[in-house]
Amino acid sequence: MLVYNRAYRRYRETNALTASPINLSKWLTRRNAIRGFIVAGVAALIAGGLLLAYLLLYVAPNLPSLEVITDYRPKIPLRIYTADNALIGEFGEEHRDFVPIKDIPEMMKKSVLAIEDKRFYDHNGIDWRRALGAARANLGGAMRQGGSTITMQVARNFFLTREKFYGRKLNEVMLAFKIEAALSKEQILELYMNQIYLGQRSFGFGAASQVYFGKPLKDLDIAEMAMLAGLPQNPARHNPAVNPKRAKQRQHVVLKSMRDLDYITEDQYQKALHETLHVSHRGQEFDTHAEYVAELARQVVYAQFKEDSYTKGISVYTTILKADQNAAYESVRRNVLNYDQRHGYRGPEAFITLPATEDERDDAIEEALQRRPGSDRLIPAVVLEVGAKSVKVQNPFGEEITISGDGLRLAANALSDKAKDTVRLRPGAVIRIIQEKNNWSITQVPQVAAAFVSIDSVTGGYHAMVGGFDYNLQKFNHVTQAWRQPGSSIKPFVYSAALEKGFSPATLINDVPLDLTGAETGNEAWSPKNDDGKFDGPITMRTALAESKNVASVRILRSITVPYAHNYLGKFGFDLAKHPKNLTMALGTGSVTPAQLVGAYSVFANGGYTVEPYLIAKIVDGSGKIISEAKPRTALPDDARVIDPRNAFVTDSMLRQVTRTGTGAAVARLGRPDLAGKTGTSSDAIDGWFAGYGGGIVAVSWMGYDDSKSLGGKEFGSSVALPIWIDYMKVALQSRPPQERQVPAGLTQVDGEWLYDEFTGDAARHTLDMDDVPPGAENVAPQPAGTTPPPPTN
């Protein structure tokens, strides 16, 4: 009461005319408010001073150096290219394409600024208006909104974590000021647009453009740019490959902001809103399928640079040609599928129970299909309904597809109620489908393996390499790692050896049954057989090779001796330890890889010189400096010669006969006179081969099972491997004119056959093992080209 009276007396003295108890109360309230503001202001000044002191005396001195951004060296993955610059592989934890700010489209920059930092060019690292708005929203401690500018995000991405606590935020603010003082706005934006994570292992907008849309930034339209610009806030939630609905919603927010800022016109806005985007669901895709090549190149680089291989931006340029690689890949896939379908449908890959409700059913189907890796165009699907003439399936994208007519041809037997449970199609069956010419068909993933490889006959550079049907299903490279029996594809090397022993293409060999004792074989008694079970009596060596006669080949080897022929194989780069030192060597019971065989055949292709197949043309570091570079030879040096040029010429003439009238006669459809080669089928048709050359290209194709089971009683090298070779050569030879070979000195033509000068005379009618020939048969004339029965198949 005393306090009140004193205040009242003072109030009356200063307000004598208007004083009253009511006015006095208002005056006291006003005075207390003023005093409160003064106290709050003083407290704020003290807190601000303390905060400023904390920032200047503690936070600022402890900020990290900006060297990591002023000398920005992004982690660029190892990239593998073809000789004609097609990207075929990439290795590294981060998929990143560094794009200088000057090369980033202006609209891409505007898309990002519209949603991430509208006043980027107006603030000094902190957008106070946006920060205060975020602070008001977060006062309850929920921290649901962020006021980070692009500069602050750069600070966070390079130096801090993404956790939301106030100590980190202060560091972020101070770092933003420091970055703004050190770098220009364009430099900051360049860092942001190349460093930010955007999902699917992609860092930066250049990488994201390739991953989601399969094209560089400069080729994106407004709708696509807006889709990418929406990713930084939450790459997982707004991933268009995984969450297309949420990604579209976010894209609309970006486009609305762009329109509000007049970055785009109303017409552009409406067009982008309604544009259908084609997003890749398979992540990054390369320019051609060369996964086996890319892995070999990776191994070479890793051996030299270890973990730095994956972060320093190293580029490897191989000798592979994109068009050739495409042709090889497609040929292997097509012909493996053809073989697989010839041998019938094996049944669904699995069976699942389909729930009654639609949502549960979709979840069950999605889970089942996610367990089935894709194989290029062989798409996994689950059967929904089965009728007498149609099958309805659901693919991984939730689409229902009805297959009928020719699309059911492969699985026709599986539609029968009498089919085995493991084969019969029914709801819940997990199968494969393929679309060809807008028509869907039931197919299956082949179990058989295959390989193809081609090289330049002079330089040895690889032009194409396919190590298997699908690298994602099997990473074992059959070109370089599969040691298989070459079968009859080894015979040309035995025949080449025979030429050095006085034989000629006109030499007559007795194609009659042959019984060898254990003493002759060094093991058990053996009676070699021809694949067709037939014997033709006296035939020329040319015919014996063209028709791949086993018995005649064994007779030749027995005549020139096993030790001589075995050592002779070494001239062609074969591993002699992997070839038997007995007469079965003539039938290819040793082991070779396709890579080894293609190198061996190049000796016949180039006139007698050995070549060393190679894959890496050059390796370049992140700055473009050449680390290493191959120096391919343009001419064949004398010290590389391993066989007489006459031998190479004559053997080539016999191998050309194979492709005209022999087991490789299907090659004739290519319509070229310079093609030569040899089929190969190992015992019990476990391996099928074709090795040949033309136009300066040497190529080998192979097919077989990894568990060494038979390809089938009616399958041969000519039916499984030769079609692969032909389909490839049809493309690879388009720009290569036929090559005519010059006749080497030292050859004489007698009765249409080329003979070494020193072996003319009696050798022109040389005969071998004619003791069992009926009287007069030894005078049978050599069979002229074109008069033989239908081509054999071995």
Side-chain angles (χ1 to χ4, degrees):
M1 187 67 181
L2 181 61
V3 173
Y4 175 81
N5 288 335
R6 287 175 181 172
Y8 182 67
R9 191 181 306 116
R10 195 179 304 119
Y11 175 76
R12 284 179 62 92
E13 291 173 355
T14 57
N15 299 277
L17 297 176
T18 59
S20 71
I22 295 175
N23 289 336
L24 174 63
S25 177
K26 290 181 178 179
W27 179 81
L28 285 172
T29 301
R30 189 182 306 117
R31 192 189 69 152
N32 289 337
I34 293 171
R35 181 178 294 173
F37 281 125
I38 292 172
V39 171
V42 172
L45 287 173
I46 293 172
L50 291 174
L51 177 61
L52 182 61
Y54 173 76
L55 292 174
L56 295 177
L57 298 178
Y58 179 76
V59 175
N62 291 294
L63 290 176
S65 167
L66 298 185
E67 183 179 359
V68 69
I69 59 175
T70 55
D71 185 24
Y72 180 49
R73 297 183 181 183
K75 292 182 179 179
I76 305 296
L78 168 65
R79 292 194 172 98
I80 317 296
Y81 297 89
T82 64
D84 37 1
N85 297 316
L87 181 64
I88 59 175
E90 183 176 289
F91 301 91
E93 291 183 7
E94 300 179 1
H95 171 55
R96 192 192 306 276
D97 285 320
F98 180 80
V99 184
I101 193 67
K102 64 181 178 63
D103 295 331
I104 296 177
E106 194 64 27
M107 191 59 73
M108 184 72 251
K109 290 187 280 188
K110 287 181 176 179
S111 300
V112 172
L113 295 177
I115 195 65
E116 290 295 323
D117 195 348
K118 296 180 179 67
R119 288 174 286 277
F120 174 69
Y121 288 103
D122 300 324
H123 61 65
N124 61 350
I126 310 298
D127 185 343
W128 294 109
R129 192 189 314 174
R130 183 178 179 186
L132 289 173
R136 283 196 299 270
N138 297 331
L139 278 177
M143 303 187 85
R144 290 183 297 272
Q145 291 189 20
S148 296
T149 63
I150 279 178
T151 310
M152 294 170 71
Q153 291 185 59
V154 168
R156 181 193 312 144
N157 289 333
F158 279 93
F159 303 107
L160 305 171
T161 68
R162 295 186 66 87
E163 297 177 22
K164 290 190 176 182
F165 60 88
Y166 293 105
R168 189 222 70 189
K169 205 69 178 177
L170 292 175
N171 284 335
E172 190 175 302
V173 168
M174 294 300 289
L175 273 170
F177 287 136
K178 188 174 182 179
I179 291 170
E180 288 274 345
L183 301 176
S184 69
K185 287 289 187 180
E186 292 301 288
Q187 288 174 313
I188 294 170
L189 189 58
E190 180 180 80
L191 287 171
Y192 176 81
M193 298 194 73
N194 282 287
Q195 184 69 16
I196 191 75
Y197 177 66
L198 298 172
Q200 303 286 83
R201 288 181 52 245
S202 61
F203 288 78
F205 286 89
S209 177
Q210 292 286 355
V211 167
Y212 292 110
F213 298 112
K215 51 188 174 182
L217 273 178
K218 63 183 180 63
D219 294 337
L220 297 185
D221 60 25
I222 292 174
E224 293 165 333
M225 291 180 184
M227 181 70 79
L228 294 186
L231 288 170
Q233 184 196 61
N234 192 325
R237 180 181 178 85
H238 301 138
N239 184 330
V242 179
N243 297 311
K245 184 176 181 180
R246 289 173 178 170
K248 191 72 175 175
Q249 292 171 347
R250 180 66 174 168
Q251 179 214 33
H252 285 186
V253 174
V254 176
L255 289 169
K256 179 66 166 59
S257 182
M258 294 175 70
R259 180 69 191 102
D260 291 343
L261 293 167
D262 282 332
Y263 288 164
I264 56 177
T265 66
E266 181 64 24
D267 287 344
Q268 289 174 316
Y269 174 63
Q270 292 298 331
K271 179 182 178 182
L273 274 180
H274 299 96
E275 181 178 327
T276 300
L277 298 184
H278 301 284
V279 177
S280 170
H281 294 272
R282 293 183 289 184
Q284 184 184 17
E285 296 183 1
F286 300 111
D287 296 332
T288 185
H289 282 282
E291 294 87 349
Y292 293 98
V293 174
E295 172 58 19
L296 284 178
R298 183 201 68 80
Q299 293 173 16
V300 171
V301 175
Y302 184 81
Q304 183 174 354
F305 299 100
K306 303 306 180 195
E307 292 303 319
D308 281 349
S309 304
Y310 308 132
T311 61
K312 299 302 183 183
I314 295 173
S315 295
V316 180
Y317 294 87
T318 66
T319 59
I320 297 295
L321 302 176
K322 180 184 177 183
D324 285 40
Q325 183 66 27
N326 284 341
Y329 175 80
E330 293 297 338
S331 181
V332 168
R333 296 277 298 192
R334 179 169 52 253
N335 287 289
V336 166
L337 286 171
N338 288 344
Y339 165 85
D340 187 69
Q341 298 205 1
R342 287 201 300 269
H343 292 267
Y345 188 57
R346 295 184 298 276
E349 296 180 18
F351 296 92
I352 65 170
T353 300
L354 294 178
T357 65
E358 184 176 350
D359 287 346
E360 290 180 344
R361 185 191 70 180
D362 287 344
D363 289 343
I365 291 175
E366 181 180 358
E367 182 181 354
L369 297 183
Q370 284 180 346
R371 295 197 203 105
R372 302 285 156 180
S375 179
D376 200 353
R377 295 178 289 273
L378 306 187
I379 301 171
V382 171
V383 174
L384 301 178
E385 299 175 9
V386 178
K389 296 183 178 180
S390 66
V391 173
K392 181 184 288 187
V393 303
Q394 183 169 317
N395 67 14
F397 311 112
E399 301 168 336
E400 293 186 2
I401 298 169
T402 299
I403 303 171
S404 60
D406 285 345
L408 300 175
R409 184 185 306 167
L410 174 64
N413 292 336
L415 298 175
S416 170
D417 292 336
K418 298 179 180 179
K420 295 180 180 179
D421 285 345
T422 56
V423 175
R424 184 166 55 85
L425 291 182
R426 57 184 182 272
V430 181
I431 64 173
R432 297 278 174 164
I433 59 176
I434 187 172
Q435 187 178 31
E436 296 175 307
K437 297 179 180 178
N438 297 322
N439 295 317
W440 287 96
S441 301
I442 293 177
T443 185
Q444 61 189 355
V445 177
Q447 294 179 341
V448 71
F452 181 88
V453 59
S454 69
I455 66 172
D456 185 282
S457 64
V458 174
T459 68
Y462 285 100
H463 285 182
M465 180 188 296
V466 181
F469 180 77
D470 190 324
Y471 181 81
N472 293 320
L473 298 179
Q474 185 187 42
K475 293 176 172 54
F476 182 80
N477 189 338
H478 294 86
V479 169
T480 59
Q481 296 176 285
W483 290 92
R484 309 289 299 207
Q485 287 194 358
S488 296
S489 65
I490 204 72
K491 288 176 181 175
F493 305 97
V494 175
Y495 284 54
S496 173
L499 293 177
E500 297 302 308
K501 288 291 189 176
F503 284 64
S504 80
T507 297
L508 286 178
I509 299 130
N510 198 12
D511 182 31
V512 294
L514 176 63
D515 297 317
L516 299 170
T517 65
E520 289 179 288
T521 64
N523 197 343
E524 299 178 356
W526 178 45
S527 300
K529 299 288 190 295
N530 292 325
D531 280 341
D532 58 6
K534 300 177 181 178
F535 295 93
D536 293 337
I539 57 174
T540 64
M541 192 165 83
R542 175 181 294 277
T543 299
L545 183 61
E547 298 187 3
S548 200
K549 292 291 188 176
N550 289 340
V551 175
S553 299
V554 172
R555 290 184 185 275
I556 292 173
L557 178 56
R558 185 173 65 166
S559 175
I560 64 176
T561 75
V562 169
Y564 175 79
H566 190 268
N567 289 333
Y568 192 82
L569 291 182
K571 294 176 178 288
F572 300 87
F574 290 114
D575 183 347
L576 297 185
K578 293 188 177 293
H579 293 270
K581 294 183 179 180
N582 59 49
L583 292 173
T584 66
M585 182 179 69
L587 307 186
T589 57
S591 296
V592 301
T593 65
Q596 194 179 69
L597 194 60
V598 78
Y601 268 80
S602 69
V603 176
F604 298 135
N606 63 33
Y609 300 88
T610 184
V611 299
E612 188 67 37
Y614 75 101
L615 180 64
I616 308 299
K618 66 178 177 180
I619 301 176
V620 179
D621 70 14
S623 65
K625 180 182 177 181
I626 295 177
I627 298 173
S628 63
E629 186 171 17
K631 293 180 169 46
R633 59 193 186 190
T634 56
L636 296 161
D638 290 339
D639 60 3
R641 178 170 292 286
V642 290
I643 63 173
D644 191 310
R646 298 176 298 174
N647 188 305
F649 181 86
V650 174
T651 304
D652 169 73
S653 76
M654 290 191 289
L655 289 173
R656 294 190 187 202
Q657 193 70 44
V658 174
T659 64
R660 292 169 184 168
T661 64
T663 57
V667 172
R669 74 179 68 152
L670 294 176
R672 291 176 61 113
D674 61 336
L675 301 180
K678 182 69 185 76
T679 54
T681 310
S682 63
S683 299
D684 298 321
I686 290 174
D687 299 276
W689 297 84
F690 188 81
Y693 52 87
I697 298 174
V698 189
V700 169
S701 53
W702 167 86
M703 193 182 293
Y705 286 95
D706 287 325
D707 58 1
S708 296
K709 72 177 183 181
S710 175
L711 290 163
K714 296 182 180 180
E715 300 288 4
F716 301 90
S718 58
S719 62
V720 297
L722 181 55
I724 298 174
W725 192 93
I726 291 174
D727 286 352
Y728 166 80
M729 283 295 207
K730 192 181 302 179
V731 175
L733 293 174
Q734 285 179 356
S735 60
R736 291 172 173 262
Q739 296 182 349
E740 286 303 318
R741 301 178 78 143
Q742 299 298 315
V743 180
L747 285 177
T748 300
Q749 195 169 31
V750 178
D751 294 334
E753 290 290 6
W754 293 103
L755 309 168
Y756 286 17
D757 285 350
E758 59 267 34
F759 297 143
T760 55
D762 292 340
R765 298 294 298 135
H766 181 68
T767 60
L768 177 64
D769 291 343
M770 302 297 286
D771 295 340
D772 299 326
V773 179
E778 67 274 11
N779 296 320
V780 174
Q783 300 176 29
T787 62
T788 56
T793 54
N794 180 31

